[in-house]
Amino acid sequence: MMRRLVLAGAVAAAMMATAAEGFISRKTWSEIRQANRGGPFVGLVVPNAYEMDPVLGSPSFTPSATLPYLDVQGRRFRFGTIGGQNVVMVMTGLSMLNAGLTTQLLLSLFRVKGIVHWGIAGNADEGLQIGDVTIPEHWAHLSLWNWQRYGDGPENELPLEAAGDYTRELGFLNFSDYAAAGHSPNLLNSIWYQPEEIFPVSGIPEQRQHAFWVPVSKRYFALAEKLEGLELPACVNATTTCLPRAPRVTRVSRGCSANLFLDNAAYRQFLRAKFGCTPVEMESAAVALVAHQHGVPFLTIRSLSDLAGGGSSLGNEASKFLSIAAQNAVDVMLKFVPLLAGAHDEAMDV
């Protein structure tokens, strides 16, 4: 009987300890503290394995000899150096949700002084081509909508607009504007784009603010100008499958994210005309919103893998040029991170 009581007490104590630790074990917390002795880090956030693997195989990345990686809550955080900068790298997986959750976990667990995010993207600017690497100054999330009922129009107040939950300030997409001849009006009516509710660490808890266009770090964006003359390969694995010209690095005004893979020319043209988007993809705005709320400087590097919806001589050829687009994004990231040496030694606008 006594043995059973002792065993029950031990189990209860273990359960209480687990709950108190937020389901992260004491061993893992100890490893996190050990890892943070190597900080502060530049946080490297990447969506997919094909955008991360070239980094792992690059001589520019040196894994940590003492703690090469640490697995926490389904994510693998990899430690090492790039150009003298201590880095912690994590793969998010596809979508805004995964990107936001992973970035929050990164900032909650580790001493991160800044974030660099990279990957491939669709292209909304017909003046650029597949393989070009874009570095936007602002990011917006474009899949938070208020879907208006049929029969209402721009002059009609949206549900809960008076309470401050929704707005008509950012504009809308009316489906009837894209209807085939003889099929207007459209029962789908209109969607109105909405800003995100945010709760910055510098604000008051439970008092919301709003953000639509989220700026990247001014210092990081200025540093990125040094990369605009970087030469990038024009052919896939040195084959005869080549782009019309060598890809280039260009800083642009705006990038746009949403939980959708865009392969529709009409919507791509709408986004370009309405919001001025250049890269269109599925993660960067989530990384931006989390970093922005924490006051952590960040920058996103996105290489164009296709003209969303086709429309050029190349069409949508993401599968053909995926490897070169991913490698170009990696090459630019590996050149950018060493530029951060000394960038955090003095106060900066994030």
Side-chain angles (χ1 to χ4, degrees):
M1 180 67 176
M2 180 61 69
R3 184 178 179 182
R4 290 180 181 175
L5 289 173
V6 171
L7 180 60
V11 171
M15 291 176 65
M16 291 175 64
T18 301
E21 293 161 4
F23 301 103
I24 295 178
S25 70
R26 289 180 180 177
K27 179 178 181 294
T28 300
W29 276 121
S30 176
E31 291 171 326
I32 291 169
R33 287 191 291 270
Q34 176 189 345
N36 277 321
R37 295 190 190 106
F41 304 99
V42 175
L44 304 181
V45 179
V46 59
N48 300 295
Y50 59 80
E51 296 151 323
M52 179 180 67
D53 288 346
V55 180
L56 299 178
S58 170
S60 298
F61 173 70
T62 303
S64 169
T66 56
L67 185 64
Y69 66 86
L70 180 59
D71 294 339
V72 185
Q73 296 188 331
R75 309 294 180 183
R76 174 160 291 183
F77 296 89
R78 302 173 184 269
F79 301 92
T81 60
I82 294 175
Q85 292 290 301
N86 293 329
V87 300
V88 51
M89 178 167 55
V90 62
M91 190 185 82
T92 68
L94 190 73
S95 85
M96 294 282 289
L97 176 62
N98 277 323
L101 284 172
T102 307
T103 304
Q104 179 62 63
L105 191 60
L106 171 71
L107 295 179
S108 295
L109 297 179
F110 302 106
R111 296 171 57 207
V112 173
K113 60 185 179 182
I115 290 176
V116 179
H117 176 58
W118 76 96
I120 67 168
N123 175 28
D125 181 358
E126 295 185 21
L128 299 178
Q129 71 161 32
I130 290 172
D132 285 345
V133 178
T134 62
I135 303 176
E137 189 173 11
H138 298 84
W139 282 94
H141 174 209
L142 297 184
S143 54
L144 183 59
W145 304 334
N146 185 308
W147 204 315
Q148 198 171 35
R149 70 168 58 195
Y150 180 71
D152 284 357
E155 71 282 357
N156 297 111
E157 186 176 282
L158 300 174
L160 303 180
E161 182 179 349
D165 292 333
Y166 300 101
T167 180
R168 284 173 287 166
E169 293 180 359
L170 299 173
F172 65 97
L173 167 67
N174 185 274
F175 289 95
S176 294
D177 293 340
Y178 296 88
H183 293 83
S184 184
N186 193 307
L187 293 175
L188 292 175
N189 201 19
S190 301
I191 52 173
W192 290 80
Y193 293 86
Q194 302 299 316
E196 289 278 0
E197 288 187 358
I198 62 172
F199 298 87
V201 296
S202 59
I204 299 173
E206 299 181 352
Q207 289 192 12
R208 66 183 177 184
Q209 299 178 28
H210 289 93
F212 189 70
W213 290 113
V214 180
V216 305
S217 162
K218 292 180 180 179
R219 182 73 60 84
Y220 284 18
F221 192 70
L223 285 173
E225 185 179 8
K226 297 180 180 181
L227 303 176
E228 289 192 316
L230 185 65
E231 293 186 5
L232 298 169
C235 299
V236 178
N237 297 324
T239 68
T240 56
T241 303
C242 298
L243 297 160
R245 61 163 172 79
R248 58 174 181 253
V249 180
T250 180
R251 295 184 304 165
V252 299
S253 178
R254 293 174 172 180
C256 300
S257 304
N259 274 321
L260 58 91
F261 183 93
L262 178 56
D263 192 28
N264 181 277
Y267 192 55
R268 178 244 301 161
Q269 291 163 356
F270 168 81
L271 292 182
R272 180 66 181 170
K274 180 67 179 177
F275 296 111
C277 308
T278 297
V280 287
E281 41 82 278
M282 302 175 67
E283 295 87 21
S284 293
V287 177
L289 283 158
V290 174
H292 177 69
Q293 291 181 79
H294 283 271
V296 174
F298 73 94
L299 188 83
T300 290
I301 297 164
R302 286 284 182 165
S303 182
L304 306 177
S305 62
D306 62 281
L307 180 63
S312 74
S313 59
L314 294 176
N316 190 327
E317 299 183 23
S319 59
K320 181 184 293 186
F321 290 101
L322 179 71
S323 62
I324 192 172
Q327 186 64 57
N328 284 355
V330 168
D331 289 346
V332 174
M333 182 277 290
L334 292 174
K335 293 291 187 182
F336 178 76
V337 170
L339 298 178
L340 297 177
H344 302 94
D345 293 342
E346 53 187 277
M348 72 166 70
D349 282 322
V350 299

